[in-house]
Amino acid sequence: MTIAIVGAGLGGLALARVLHVHGVEPVVYERDASREARRQGGMLDIHSGQRALREAGLIERFLAIARAEGQDMRLLEPDGTLLLQEDTPDDAPALRPEIDRTDLRNLLLDALPAGTVRWGRAFDHAEDGVLHFADGSTERHDLLVGADGANSRVRPLLTDARPAHLGQNVVELCIPDIDRAHPDLAAMVGRGNYWVLGDGKSLAAQRNGDGCVRIGLSFYNTGEDWFARSGIPFEDPAAARARLIELYDGWDARFTALIAAADDTVVPRSLTALPPGLTWPTNPTITLVGDAAHLMPPVGEGANMALLDGAVLGLALAEHRDDFGAAVAEYEQEMFERTAAAARMSADIQELLMSPDASRRMLEFFQPS
């Protein structure tokens, strides 16, 4: 019986690895031409997802490359007031270590047999047990797992739900080789997360394992058309940085210096999410993992839920390898409950970030009375 996984993200790869550990060999179809085809994003805070890496037999390798110091946190207000600084002791347990998404993905890819991932296979649709790809080719399957992210093409086979705009638009920037190029800014950001909140905006700077600092500039309570109205000329990186500095007028000069130091990577992103607690009637031949199933605000839960989805589904399929319907039903019952709680918590944090006094409320969140 053939298991087809559409999408070589964290959820799909965790599923493939757990199945492999239990002697079941699925096939993963990925639209990218290779693992190097595009950037995979910044750092991930892996906490509950460590359970999935244990089930995958990869926890020791994960801990060897994860950055415990990435747990450091600095929270500030736009005028430069430091609200919170948490520095991780060198001997602290890695409860929420950070890892580059690329490194985690490569860890999972390297743990799969050659040929498990079929690169350059863009899924188009499925019908009557047949996968149809954009190049006109087809493949048969007995179970289809949609691990194809926010804009999943598999999801419509199970539900009409679509991601809705969160009222948040983000511009991503990058400062490469920051320790050499900008040692003063490197010292300011520190080893982990540097977060400034206020005036309906935020600036989040995050140290990555490759020596760069990734910056996310968030604009809250903004609509889907905000980029068109923002006056940010994305086709001209230098002019785009200048406009972004204008949008942060009145903020401490140290913060706008981070924008000025960024390279020509200026990427707009409109954030969306699926309704918290989304479910669908179980179909014994189709299911979803990761963002395809429960896209939520990006506040530290999505990657962990995706990893757990892959592990839980993989264990269920290994146990019920002759009855995919029973495995899917068991997995979805657990997944719906677990991810609904995570999605509600993420939505609560998102609402907090949208509030006028977001910095003080975040301080209360990190240091409850």
Side-chain angles (χ1 to χ4, degrees):
M1 297 178 73
T2 303
I3 300 173
I5 302 168
V6 173
L10 299 182
L13 294 176
L15 169 59
R17 169 62 185 181
V18 170
L19 286 171
H20 172 67
V21 166
H22 289 272
V24 180
E25 303 300 341
V27 179
V28 181
Y29 298 101
E30 169 56 48
R31 68 170 51 245
D32 286 348
S34 71
R35 69 168 76 187
E36 297 87 10
R38 59 188 173 92
R39 297 183 67 169
Q40 294 299 308
M43 300 293 287
L44 298 171
D45 163 10
I46 303 300
H47 42 93
S48 60
Q50 291 186 40
R51 176 196 158 200
L53 295 168
R54 289 190 182 91
E55 296 290 355
L58 299 173
I59 189 64
E60 296 302 328
R61 278 182 266 179
F62 163 75
L63 292 173
I65 60 176
R67 299 175 56 249
E69 68 273 17
Q71 300 170 103
D72 288 5
M73 164 69 75
R74 298 177 187 181
L75 177 65
L76 303 96
E77 292 187 309
D79 64 1
T81 301
L82 179 64
L83 297 177
L84 175 68
Q85 180 167 337
E86 294 182 344
D87 295 324
T88 306
D90 292 338
D91 59 351
L95 299 178
R96 304 177 70 98
E98 301 273 350
I99 185 171
D100 284 27
R101 181 183 289 270
T102 297
D103 290 343
L104 181 54
R105 187 179 189 233
N106 284 338
L107 175 65
L108 291 163
L109 282 168
D110 292 341
L112 293 172
T116 299
V117 179
R118 311 284 175 85
W119 300 99
R121 303 295 300 278
F123 172 77
D124 185 79
H125 69 281
E127 57 184 354
D128 300 327
V130 178
L131 303 179
H132 295 258
F133 297 91
D135 62 4
S137 63
T138 61
E139 300 283 354
R140 296 203 62 83
H141 68 281
D142 297 293
L143 174 66
L144 170 60
V145 181
D148 50 341
N151 299 311
S152 172
R153 286 180 171 269
V154 178
R155 186 193 301 124
L157 299 174
L158 293 171
T159 173
D160 292 333
R162 298 289 185 274
H165 194 263
L166 284 173
Q168 178 181 353
N169 292 285
V170 180
V171 178
E172 294 183 357
L173 306 171
C174 180
I175 306 176
D177 196 13
I178 191 171
D179 290 304
R180 182 194 62 79
H182 302 281
D184 53 336
L185 296 179
M188 181 180 77
V189 170
R191 307 182 303 174
N193 292 281
Y194 189 84
W195 206 2
V196 191
L197 282 167
D199 303 332
K201 299 185 285 287
S202 71
L203 181 154
Q206 186 183 53
R207 173 78 66 151
N208 281 213
D210 61 359
C212 83
V213 161
R214 292 176 66 90
I215 299 168
L217 305 177
S218 290
F219 301 87
Y220 300 108
N221 299 301
T222 52
E224 291 183 76
D225 63 343
W226 183 81
F227 282 126
R229 297 183 288 103
S230 68
I232 305 172
F234 290 102
E235 71 283 357
D236 182 343
R241 289 192 296 271
R243 174 57 179 155
L244 289 165
I245 290 172
E246 289 180 358
L247 292 172
Y248 281 78
D249 182 48
W251 283 45
D252 190 288
R254 294 173 296 169
F255 307 145
T256 53
L258 288 167
I259 301 174
D263 65 9
D264 286 349
T265 304
V266 186
V267 181
R269 297 199 186 280
S270 292
L271 299 190
T272 61
L274 287 165
L278 175 66
T279 64
W280 52 81
T282 293
N283 181 320
T285 65
I286 307 171
T287 192
L288 305 171
V289 300
D291 286 350
H294 43 69
L295 178 67
M296 56 189 73
V299 295
E301 291 297 324
N304 288 278
M305 291 301 104
L307 290 168
L308 284 169
D309 289 351
V312 172
L313 178 56
L315 291 172
L317 288 167
E319 182 179 353
H320 304 288
R321 61 186 68 201
D322 295 323
D323 187 351
F324 287 169
V328 168
E330 180 180 300
Y331 156 70
E332 289 184 346
Q333 181 178 5
E334 189 275 348
M335 182 268 288
F336 289 150
E337 181 177 353
R338 167 174 47 82
T339 62
R344 285 192 292 269
M345 182 185 71
S346 298
D348 289 344
I349 296 175
Q350 182 71 18
E351 183 179 355
L352 184 158
L353 292 170
M354 297 282 195
S355 65
D357 57 344
S359 59
R360 298 291 171 169
R361 292 186 65 187
M362 283 304 298
L363 179 60
E364 293 172 2
F365 177 81
F366 287 119
Q367 291 188 329
S369 57

